[in-house]
Amino acid sequence: MKLATLRIDGGTVAAAAVEGGFAPLPATDVGELIAQDGWREIVAATLAGRTEGAGPALIDEATADFAPVVPRPAKVVCCGLNYSDHILEMGRELPAHPTLFAKFADTLAGAQDRIDVVGSERVDWEAELAVVVGAELRNASEQEAARAIAGYTVANDVSMRDWQHRTLQWFQGKAFDASTPIGPVLVTADEFGAAPTFRVRGYVNGQLVQEGDTATLVFGPARLLAYVSGFTTLRPGDVVLTGTPGGVGAGMKPPRYLADGDALATEIDGIGRLENIINLNSASVPAAAVHA
Amino acid sequence: MKLATLRIDGGTVAAAAVEGGFAPLPATDVGELIAQDGWREIVAATLAGRTEGAGPALIDEATADFAPVVPRPAKVVCCGLNYSDHILEMGRELPAHPTLFAKFADTLAGAQDRIDVVGSERVDWEAELAVVVGAELRNASEQEAARAIAGYTVANDVSMRDWQHRTLQWFQGKAFDASTPIGPVLVTADEFGAAPTFRVRGYVNGQLVQEGDTATLVFGPARLLAYVSGFTTLRPGDVVLTGTPGGVGAGMKPPRYLADGDALATEIDGIGRLENIINLNSASVPAAAVHA
C-alpha cells in the first residue's frame, strides 16, 4: 500500500494510492492514521466502501499537492556516516555506534515543495531512505524493531554545511525550517520481503550525483530503530533517516553547493521520487535579521 | 508570576502560585496556557474569580506533583560551551557561534522526579537556566527575541557521557527519556528587569559542585533565541537551555559520575530548585534488550 499526506482545503488529508489517483482516508495525515489501532482495517474498509460508491472523489495524482508524508512526527532521528562502502572508500573504519542527530517536524518539506533557504551559502544534498515507525518501541530487540516498521519513504537531508560546521554539533545546519523533503508516499512494509534493501539516488539538474544501496548500511533500518529505542521511546509516526551514500557536494573536488534555482531530485526504486527546486532568494522567510 | 504544571487525576493542570498554594488555571499545562492569546488576562481573571470564591481548591505546594513545567514543547534547543569564565579557564577561545543540539519533549522530567537511567555508567550533571518562548520568532532581532521571552526556569541537562561520546554528535547521550528535569516553576519575565542575570548552582548529595552566573554567558537568552530563530521558527512553549557552568563530573580529576541513589539538586535564585534522585537500577524502563 502507498500512503500519502495531501494538502487540501487549507489542511491535509491522508490518502491511499488506488487505480486512478489517491483515495482520501479518515485521518488528517499519515502519522495520525498509523497511530490508530487497526489502521490497516480502517484503510481496507474505506477502500471497500469506495467500490460501493461511498466516499469523496479521488484526488488526481498529477495535481496532488504532497505534504511531508508524515508532517508532525514527535521525533525525527537521523543517522550519519552509515554507508559502509563510502566509509571504507574514504579510508575510515566502520563505526561501532551510529552517529545520530535530530530534526524537528518543522524541518520537513513536501515531495515537490520549493526549498527556501535564507542565510546559507553552502546548501548540500543527502539522498536518504527514511523509515516510519508503526508501533511503540523501547529497548527493543532488532527483531521487535523490524516488526514495528510501518513502511519506507524517500528523504533528502538537505544540509547547510556552513552552519553545520560552525561548531562541532551538526544540528543547526540540519534543522532549517522546511528543508528536508520527505515522501511522496509511504510504502508499507508488507509490500516488501523481510529486511528489504533499496537503491537510493540523488540528482542535481538531472545529473546523477549520488547512488547507493541500503544493503551496504552499517546500521540497517531495524538495527537503527532498536538502537534508538535504547535511549528514547519511538512511537507510530516517528521518522528515522538512515544516512546518505557517497557523492555529496561537500565531498567533490572542488566542493559543489546548490545554486539558486537548482533542481534536486531524490529517488528510491519501488518507493518514489522527490523533486525540489532550491530557492536561495526566499520571499517566504522573513528577512528582518538574518544571522549569517 | 510563578506558573507550574502539576500532575493531578491522571493528567496535568497549569497552575499559578498564590498565597497558600497553587491555583489551577484553565489549561492542561503551562505550554498550552502561554500558547493562548491573552493568557495573562486569562490568569488574572481566574485569580480574580477565586477571590470571589469561584474555582477549584488550591493545590498544596508541599504535596504538589510537578510535571516538567512545559511538558510538550515542539522544540527543545540546548546550547553547549556557553559560560565564558569556564571557557577561558579551560584555555579555549570564546566561540563565534553557539554550539546547539536538540532534545525531545520525552527527554524532560519533573522537578522532583526520580531519574531512571538504564544502560549508562557515566551519568553526569549540567545545571542550567532554561528560557521558555512566549511568542513566535523567525529571523528575529535580539530585541524582538528579548520581548518574546515568556519566562525563566531551572533545568539540569543530565548527560550520559558514555553515549554522548560514542560518536562526534552528542545527541544520543542528551536525549534519554525523562532525564532532563525542568521546573519547578516558570517565573514570568515581567518579574525581572530587562536582561536579567541569574546565579545557577548544582549540588550532588548536598555538596555544591557547580556555580555560575548567567551574566558570563557568551550567548545570553535573547541572543540565543534570535540565533536559533535564524534557522527555525520558535513558538510559545518552546524551550531553550542556555548551557552549564564549570564543575561537571567529567571535568573532575578523577572524573566523577552519578551513582545509584545520588541526590541531584539544581537551583537558581529567584526561580526555584530541582531535587532529583538518580536511579541506575530502573524498574520503570523495560530491560529487554539494553544496547549498552
Side-chain angles (χ1 to χ4, degrees), chain A residues 75 97-100 106 139-140 166-172 175-177 226-227 231-233 235 285-286 289 291, chain B residues 75 97-100 106 138-140 166-170 172 176-177 226-227 231-233 235 285-286 289 291:
Chain A
K75 291 174 186 162
H97 304 287
T99 298
L100 301 176
D106 273 346
N139 273 324
R166 283 183 172 182
T167 73
L168 291 175
Q169 298 305 300
W170 302 342
F171 164 72
Q172 60 189 273
F176 273 52
D177 278 359
Y227 185 91
F231 62 91
T232 188
T233 308
R235 296 193 181 81
V285 178
H291 305 271
Chain B
K75 292 174 186 163
H97 304 286
T99 298
L100 302 175
D106 273 347
R138 183 75 171 100
N139 272 325
R166 282 182 173 181
T167 73
L168 291 175
Q169 298 304 300
W170 302 343
Q172 60 189 272
F176 273 53
D177 277 359
Y227 185 91
F231 61 92
T232 187
T233 307
R235 296 194 182 82
V285 179
H291 304 272

Side-chain angles (χ1 to χ4, degrees), chain A residues 2-284:
Chain A
K2 291 189 176 183
L3 302 171
T5 299
L6 302 177
R7 298 186 180 114
I8 183 171
D9 298 337
T12 62
V13 66
V18 295
E19 174 116 22
F22 283 98
L25 298 171
T28 60
D29 61 61
V30 170
E32 184 188 286
L33 176 72
I34 65 178
Q36 297 177 50
D37 284 333
W39 64 267
R40 291 168 190 282
E41 290 70 28
I42 294 169
V43 174
T46 306
L47 298 183
R50 293 195 71 83
T51 63
E52 295 159 13
L58 283 188
I59 298 166
D60 186 353
E61 182 168 1
T63 58
D65 184 359
F66 292 91
V69 64
V70 184
R72 299 176 298 160
K75 291 174 186 162
V76 182
V77 180
C78 307
C79 184
L81 310 173
N82 199 15
Y83 277 81
S84 60
D85 51 354
H86 180 55
I87 295 168
L88 294 172
E89 87 183 350
M90 301 292 285
R92 300 195 186 120
E93 284 186 21
L94 295 184
H97 304 287
T99 298
L100 301 176
F101 56 92
K103 290 177 185 282
F104 299 124
D106 273 346
T107 318
L108 305 179
Q112 295 162 3
D113 288 355
R114 192 180 72 175
I115 295 179
D116 297 335
V117 176
V118 170
S120 172
E121 294 175 353
R122 296 194 173 180
V123 183
D124 201 353
W125 53 85
E126 294 199 355
E128 308 205 2
L129 172 72
V131 182
V132 177
V133 177
E136 188 167 309
L137 289 175
R138 183 72 172 104
N139 273 324
S141 68
E142 198 170 320
Q143 293 68 31
E144 289 166 336
R147 286 194 298 271
I149 293 174
Y152 302 90
T153 187
V154 186
N156 199 308
D157 175 18
V158 172
S159 300
M160 283 31 90
R161 301 294 186 201
D162 35 9
W163 288 66
Q164 181 183 346
H165 297 301
R166 283 183 172 182
T167 73
L168 291 175
Q169 298 305 300
W170 302 342
F171 164 72
Q172 60 189 273
K174 299 281 198 174
F176 273 52
D177 278 359
S179 64
T180 299
I182 185 165
V185 294
L186 177 76
V187 184
T188 54
D190 57 286
E191 297 269 323
F192 307 99
T197 60
F198 300 92
R199 290 203 73 78
V200 177
R201 292 185 204 88
Y203 301 83
V204 177
N205 299 332
Q207 176 197 352
L208 181 69
V209 289
Q210 287 190 279
E211 183 161 20
D213 195 305
T214 64
T216 72
L217 288 175
V218 181
F219 304 95
R223 195 169 165 203
L224 211 43
L225 267 56
Y227 185 91
V228 172
S229 84
F231 62 91
T232 188
T233 308
L234 292 171
R235 296 193 181 81
D238 288 342
V239 176
V240 176
L241 271 66
T242 60
T244 199
V248 299
M252 294 182 171
K253 292 174 185 174
R256 174 180 174 183
Y257 299 107
L258 291 166
D260 188 54
D262 274 354
L264 181 66
T266 319
E267 68 179 18
I268 297 181
D269 294 343
I271 303 180
R273 182 178 168 99
L274 309 171
E275 297 192 333
N276 304 88
I277 301 295
I278 302 298
N279 171 33
L280 303 183
N281 297 301
S282 178
S284 75

